[in-house]
Amino acid sequence: MLLFLEQLLNGLQFGVTLLLMASGLTLIFGIMNLINLAHGSLFMVGAYVGATAIAHGSGFFLGLLAGVGAAAITGMVMEFVIMRRLYRRDHLDQVLATFGLILFFNEMVSIVWGRQPIAMDPPAFLSGTVEFIPGAPYPAFRLAVIATGILVTGFLYFLVMKTRIGMWIRAGASNREMIGALGVNISLLYTLLFGFGAALAGLAGVMAAPFSAVQSGMGENILILTFVVIVIGGIGSIRGAVAGALLIGLTDTLGRVYIPDLMRLWLPPSVADGAGASLASMMIYILMAVVLAFRPRGLFQTHG
Amino acid sequence: MDNAQDRPVFEARNLYKSYGGLRATDDLSIQLEVGKIHALIGPNGAGKTTALSQLSGELRPDGGQVWFDGQDITRFSMPKRARMGVARSFQITAIFDDFTVAENVAVAVQSRTRHHFSFWRAVTRDVQINKRTAALLDQVGLAGFASRRAADLAHGQKRQLEIAMALALDPKVLLLDEPMAGMGPTESNQLAELLERLKPDFAILLVEHDMNIVFRLADVISVLVNGAMIASGSVDQIRENEDVQKAYLAEGY
Amino acid sequence: MVKNISRKSWSTITIFVVLALVPPVAHAFDNSFLITMFNRAVIYAVAAVGLDLIIGFGGMVSFGHAAFFGIGAYTAGILGTHAFDGSDFIFGWTGSNDAFVVWPLAMLVAAFFGLIIGLISLRTSGVYFIMITLAFAQLFYFFFVSLSQYGGEDGLSLWDRNAIPGLDLYDRNTFYYLCCAILLAVWFLLSRLVGSRFGRVIIGCKQNERRMRALGYDPLLYKLTAFCISAAIGGLAGALIANHSEFVSPGLLHWSRSGELMVIVILGGLGTLVGPIYGALALFLMEESLVSFTEHWQVILGPVLILVVVFFRGGIVGFLSGAGKATVKSGGDHG
Ligand SMILES: Nc1ncnc2c1ncn2[C@@H]1O[C@H](COP(=O)(O)OP(=O)(O)OP(=O)(O)O)[C@@H](O)[C@H]1O
Ligand SMILES: [Mg+2]
């Protein structure tokens, strides 16, 4: 039971990382109608810069800031140089150009940091455990990640739904020209928005760095999972993104722990472990297939 | 024979459709007969297109039935209805921009022939399709434009192309959503003449804003306001109907 | 228009002549590696021509085509393994080494999974379709990674190349020309297909699905058929690559492989069928020449790709036939 609670929290923590990625991606997709494969590269940039800064003794918060800032700046430069030429192109062109970006970033990273993964430790003040469920000490850093994710998502929701900027954003999604006529500098707004989405990806990157090897190509693994989140939740739906992220985070985490156990119930252990592990790695994709078979436009399908 | 002509070939019974709180179609019943043009008029947003989409099968009504040729087709999809003989044109021009004019019609003609899983023979050499295509282009007055890219046609010609595509299906029922929209007077007059020529062989539903055209072509006129039919009758009946004048004609149409 | 068509058939003739000349030239320069490299390109071209059918003509942007490539390759690999050691595959069948059994089967298995993936993903369109096909490919990737009895992550060796009576597939030239012949056949069949009634229907579906439905067509049926055909061709290419490298691994299904196939199609010229052949040659030649500069050749390839997308929309074939500059389409999907 305690193990289960712990895994539940791990799943939540993974889900929160996915949510940060998904928010940025849907924001950019919803408003600029751009599918950006290189969103994973921004995640990677955040992780590398954050980990490197911390390794050089910047301290955690400065490192976090460096990672987020680096991702945001990279994102804005990306938007300024390339993306704005793609807004009016079809999705195929966007996929290919941003695929080119991925190749560039992955290789660039291995030129700068080498092919070996680098590691990042959680900050000292969060390296301990918290026993907020009696008998089940839980790593403080993971809790902090969960809390940060929830806070940021709440902030995002507030920003989009309740503020003037959010109103522009939502109106821009439906009518680019009108917003231009209102005197808002739309290309600046887009650059900033892109930077904001990138910052979220960078934040996710730094926060995920202690749990995973920081290496070239790490962005795409999470990017594809983020796609699954978006597909399951329904494009353009904030609630969908939240539901999808939690569902995937939990399914993946719990699946890896419990599916082999479950399989042992009716298979010999040696077979069960192999089959269980393979089933666990495919689990989220199977989940996606099942959801789509019944709801082709995702759980929280929007009209249109 | 006489008898069969009088019975409506196409019929909608008590259709309902709402979008959220909005009643887009409210207890709509309508009958179409071969040899008659039934005009559906009403102010913008009255629900004409929504009604037509339910007749063509693109939208599923919340309630009510659609009958064709003595058969309940309420649950049939748009393609299935099209294959049975219910053809439609769209209010917003829907043609294949990258096809030539002839190819646009040819793909519609091909739909009648049913042999779509032929992977080998060049469709451009299909004599049957080409002959019928040429005849249809001739009929709507586009014969001279056969090899032009459809996107490059003038607006009025695109509307004519739409009619040709609908006719290519050899339908019994033609559902036309504002076919004259955006046409100049000469062009709409030509199209009106075409519809008059077609009239004896088809059951036609014509959504149209131009009252001169409606009064000239229609045998029956139905007036739709807020999704509900407020009047239906002959041209003279509708002209004199006070409700209609209040709700609609007085607005300056 | 007529001039364009003849230019296009020139570009087709040219490329096949070039391909035919590769072995003699390679022997003249005593560089047999050249044949190996071109052979790889030819096999990728087979898959890419098949992919062009659905992207260029059917408007289905599949980002998961490596799955079919990999499925075809593993079909050959798994059947070959059992044929080699005589062990049981299923129902007492010990696999096969016969190309006339293995290759059609590779196509069939790929088409079967194409059917399943297509049934689920073709009900959506646009970005959804891109993401879903990508995710499905990932599903198969992880499946083969965890398929430990067939090598798992490490992959699987093909101990014997498949056999065709009267041909020695171990002979570099024979295998190369066989692959070229298959490429020619695939190109020819698909050229017929896109000009046929069926082709007209899928091209119509790409342009305006709603219109097609109003004309009495059920787009899903035709799109699904095209998708399966494309998957089968991918499976065939997979079986060929397994024979070429005598080795299969999950790497064949990696998502970047799907990206590569798409790059080949666009680089060569979308919706031309011959374009992907140019695209495959261009990509592999570029790779070989860049690798000799730096091991980090992708840092150059990436920006090149972006430039191609932004400035040369017609790809190589569009450029050759002079159509590249003029095609500034208004975005395909409406925003
Ligand atoms: N998909 C939809 N979702 C929500 N509301 C809709 C939808 N389609 C139509 N409506 C609403 O239903 C009503 C009827 O629309 P419809 O297009 O049928 O009118 P119409 O009579 O064809 O108008 P017009 O003369 O402008 O063509 C309108 O108020 C419209 O806003
Ligand atoms: Mg309308």
Side-chain angles (χ1 to χ4, degrees):
Chain A
M1 192 59 207
L2 287 178
L3 176 70
F4 178 73
L5 276 178
E6 190 181 328
Q7 293 302 337
L8 210 60
L9 285 171
N10 285 350
L12 193 63
Q13 174 245 317
F14 186 39
V16 153
T17 308
L18 289 173
L19 184 56
L20 287 179
M21 288 291 286
S23 315
L25 209 59
T26 21
L27 198 72
I28 289 165
F29 178 74
I31 292 161
M32 306 166 201
N33 193 22
L34 176 89
I35 172 167
N36 179 20
L37 298 186
H39 204 69
S41 300
L42 299 167
F43 175 87
M44 178 177 72
V45 166
Y48 263 105
V49 173
T52 308
I54 290 169
H56 285 77
S58 71
F60 181 72
F61 285 106
L62 263 185
L64 182 70
L65 206 67
V68 173
I73 291 169
T74 310
M76 285 193 283
V77 171
M78 211 191 246
E79 199 275 348
F80 190 78
V81 179
I82 295 161
M83 299 303 180
R84 51 176 58 190
R85 292 165 217 285
L86 299 173
Y87 292 146
R88 289 177 185 278
R89 294 294 193 81
D90 55 30
H91 295 313
L92 179 62
D93 284 357
Q94 299 172 350
V95 164
L96 277 157
T98 53
F99 179 70
L101 275 175
I102 292 182
L103 297 183
F104 174 77
F105 277 110
N106 280 345
E107 209 58 57
M108 206 63 200
V109 151
S110 57
I111 291 174
V112 177
W113 280 279
R115 300 224 184 258
Q116 289 303 318
I118 63 177
M120 177 183 140
D121 294 325
F125 68 96
L126 286 174
S127 60
T129 56
V130 182
E131 203 173 322
F132 76 109
I133 304 165
Y138 192 74
F141 185 68
R142 283 182 187 265
L143 273 184
V145 169
I146 296 173
T148 311
I150 292 173
L151 275 178
V152 171
T153 310
F155 169 70
L156 205 63
Y157 187 81
F158 173 78
L159 191 77
V160 173
M161 299 314 246
K162 302 276 192 264
T163 66
R164 206 182 162 78
I165 299 180
M167 192 200 73
W168 287 342
I169 291 173
R170 279 178 294 137
S174 45
N175 193 338
R176 226 178 277 218
E177 278 71 27
M178 191 196 75
I179 283 294
L182 284 179
V184 181
N185 183 341
I186 193 112
S187 49
L188 181 65
L189 184 67
Y190 277 15
T191 308
L192 290 176
L193 263 176
F194 205 93
F196 181 63
L200 292 179
L203 177 65
V206 184
M207 293 199 314
F211 311 115
S212 60
V214 175
Q215 59 185 337
S216 169
M218 69 187 289
E220 283 65 64
N221 296 332
I222 193 113
L223 177 83
I224 296 173
L225 292 181
T226 307
F227 281 170
V228 177
V229 165
I230 292 175
V231 164
I232 286 185
I235 288 189
S237 160
I238 298 183
R239 279 191 305 161
V242 174
L246 294 183
L247 200 59
I248 293 300
L250 290 174
T251 307
D252 193 58
T253 309
L254 297 181
R256 279 175 207 289
V257 180
Y258 290 108
I259 288 181
D261 286 358
L262 278 177
M263 304 281 276
R264 276 164 182 259
L265 292 180
W266 53 88
L267 287 175
S270 61
V271 183
D273 286 354
S278 76
L279 189 61
S281 60
M282 295 187 290
M283 199 58 210
I284 52 172
Y285 300 102
I286 295 170
L287 180 73
M288 176 193 79
V290 172
V291 168
L292 288 176
F294 292 101
R295 303 197 70 137
R297 303 185 65 91
L299 289 175
F300 291 85
Q301 47 208 5
T302 45
H303 289 288
Chain B
M1 218 41 232
D2 254 295
N3 221 350
Q5 280 229 325
D6 288 348
R7 235 185 299 127
V9 64
F10 190 88
E11 192 180 359
R13 297 181 189 157
N14 312 99
L15 292 182
Y16 284 93
K17 177 88 196 169
S18 42
Y19 291 116
L22 176 82
R23 287 225 157 155
T25 307
D26 191 357
D27 194 19
L28 179 72
S29 298
I30 210 164
Q31 282 130 24
L32 307 181
E33 291 169 37
V34 174
K36 289 196 174 155
I37 294 183
H38 191 138
L40 185 63
I41 62 174
N44 289 107
K48 304 180 293 293
T49 300
T50 307
L52 194 140
S53 294
Q54 290 166 73
L55 302 184
S56 70
E58 188 172 35
L59 275 179
R60 182 137 305 162
D62 299 338
Q65 296 173 332
V66 182
W67 287 73
F68 173 62
D69 241 0
Q71 199 178 354
D72 182 353
I73 60 165
T74 315
R75 307 198 68 80
F76 290 9
S77 67
M78 175 151 80
K80 185 155 186 193
R81 292 186 201 190
R83 291 195 295 270
M84 293 173 75
V86 180
R88 76 173 287 186
S89 75
F90 291 92
Q91 180 173 358
I92 298 166
T93 309
I95 55 176
F96 304 105
D97 278 344
D98 294 335
F99 278 162
T100 64
V101 172
E103 283 168 342
N104 265 276
V105 178
V107 74
V109 171
Q110 184 187 324
S111 170
R112 286 297 298 161
T113 64
R114 304 288 158 82
H115 305 290
H116 311 311
F117 285 96
S118 142
F119 300 96
W120 180 256
R121 275 186 45 205
V123 64
T124 45
R125 305 238 176 86
D126 193 311
V127 181
Q128 240 181 321
I129 291 183
N130 290 345
K131 250 167 121 176
R132 177 101 175 98
T133 302
L136 284 160
L137 287 177
D138 206 36
Q139 195 175 6
V140 300
L142 285 175
F145 300 91
S147 54
R148 185 165 304 183
R149 212 172 79 102
D152 299 336
L153 288 180
H155 177 77
Q157 294 172 320
K158 288 184 183 171
R159 307 298 299 177
Q160 285 163 326
L161 180 56
E162 278 228 25
I163 305 284
M165 290 165 81
L167 291 177
L169 296 178
D170 268 336
K172 282 190 195 152
V173 179
L174 278 175
L175 308 171
L176 307 176
D177 198 352
E178 305 196 23
M180 281 106 172
M183 277 188 173
T186 339
E187 283 170 322
S188 29
N189 192 41
Q190 278 171 359
L191 188 51
E193 279 167 14
L194 174 64
L195 290 183
E196 272 168 340
R197 281 201 301 278
L198 294 174
K199 183 158 129 176
D201 302 320
F202 299 92
I204 300 179
L205 179 76
L206 177 66
V207 174
E208 184 50 57
H209 274 306
D210 184 336
M211 294 313 290
N212 292 325
I213 299 269
V214 169
F215 287 146
R216 170 176 157 196
L217 291 177
D219 301 285
V220 188
I221 301 178
S222 294
V223 186
L224 210 58
V225 175
N226 293 332
M229 192 187 287
I230 60 162
S232 183
S234 70
V235 173
D236 292 333
Q237 285 169 329
I238 294 298
R239 267 207 178 108
E240 278 144 32
N241 187 310
E242 278 176 29
D243 287 344
V244 175
Q245 290 187 346
K246 255 205 313 243
Y248 183 57
L249 295 177
E251 276 180 27
Y253 283 93
Chain C
M1 196 64 197
V2 175
K3 210 169 158 192
N4 257 346
I5 288 170
S6 72
R7 280 220 211 172
K8 219 158 125 190
S9 42
W10 270 117
S11 49
T12 309
I13 294 167
T14 314
I15 195 76
F16 279 108
V17 169
V18 167
L19 287 178
L21 289 177
V22 166
V25 170
H27 290 301
F29 285 93
D30 203 19
N31 182 353
S32 57
F33 172 73
L34 214 56
I35 304 179
T36 308
M37 190 206 89
F38 270 86
N39 203 342
R40 263 175 76 79
V42 165
I43 293 171
Y44 272 78
V46 171
V49 170
L51 183 59
D52 194 20
L53 171 69
I54 56 170
I55 300 186
F57 295 90
M60 296 165 256
V61 183
S62 165
F63 201 159
H65 238 54
F68 306 120
F69 198 57
I71 287 170
Y74 266 96
T75 306
I78 291 172
L79 292 179
T81 306
H82 288 290
F84 181 74
D85 61 19
S87 58
D88 213 37
F89 176 47
I90 36 168
F91 308 131
W93 186 40
T94 57
S96 172
N97 203 30
D98 183 347
F100 290 123
V101 174
V102 175
W103 297 359
L105 212 57
M107 295 176 76
L108 214 63
V109 176
F112 171 74
F113 287 107
L115 183 72
I116 293 175
I117 294 178
L119 262 180
I120 294 179
S121 52
L122 282 172
R123 291 194 291 164
T124 66
S125 59
V127 193
Y128 256 106
F129 185 78
I130 297 174
M131 295 183 188
I132 294 168
T133 46
L134 175 60
F136 270 118
Q138 207 68 359
L139 171 68
F140 284 96
Y141 174 77
F142 284 118
F143 173 75
F144 286 115
V145 163
S146 54
L147 197 63
S148 46
Q149 62 269 48
Y150 296 110
E153 213 159 348
D154 300 329
L156 180 67
S157 284
L158 189 73
W159 297 107
D160 272 328
R161 280 194 178 176
N162 292 138
I164 294 179
L167 289 182
D168 175 16
L169 296 197
Y170 275 102
D171 179 69
R172 224 187 274 266
N173 288 343
T174 309
F175 188 66
Y176 174 78
Y177 280 121
L178 179 67
C179 290
C180 285
I182 289 173
L183 177 61
L184 184 65
V186 166
W187 169 81
F188 182 64
L189 289 174
L190 290 188
S191 301
R192 295 295 308 203
L193 183 145
V194 298
S196 71
R197 285 173 176 235
F198 178 79
R200 181 70 56 84
V201 176
I202 59 165
I203 299 171
C205 290
K206 177 190 179 185
Q207 290 184 53
N208 194 334
E209 223 173 271
R210 184 173 179 219
R211 221 323 157 202
M212 288 303 277
R213 270 186 278 118
L215 292 179
Y217 296 97
D218 282 302
L220 182 64
L221 192 62
Y222 303 98
K223 286 166 78 176
L224 193 57
T225 308
F227 194 77
C228 290
I229 292 173
S230 179
I233 294 170
L236 175 62
L240 293 178
I241 203 75
N243 277 278
H244 180 254
S245 33
E246 295 169 36
F247 175 70
V248 296
S249 76
L252 289 173
L253 297 91
H254 195 255
W255 72 271
S256 60
R257 193 80 48 191
S258 298
E260 222 165 79
L261 285 173
M262 275 169 72
V263 167
I264 289 173
V265 174
I266 311 302
L267 197 62
L270 186 67
T272 60
L273 290 183
V274 69
I277 307 176
Y278 280 90
L281 292 189
L283 186 71
F284 282 85
L285 285 174
M286 197 150 59
E287 179 177 334
E288 285 309 322
S289 47
L290 287 180
V291 162
S292 61
F293 273 113
T294 162
E295 62 163 319
H296 300 292
W297 57 281
Q298 293 199 336
V299 91
I300 302 169
L301 179 64
V304 168
L305 261 181
I306 299 171
L307 290 178
V308 169
V309 171
V310 174
F311 295 111
F312 297 96
R313 305 213 43 198
I316 298 169
V317 168
F319 185 73
L320 291 180
S321 59
K325 287 150 277 175
T327 49
V328 180
K329 274 188 286 185
S330 54
D333 297 57
H334 304 283

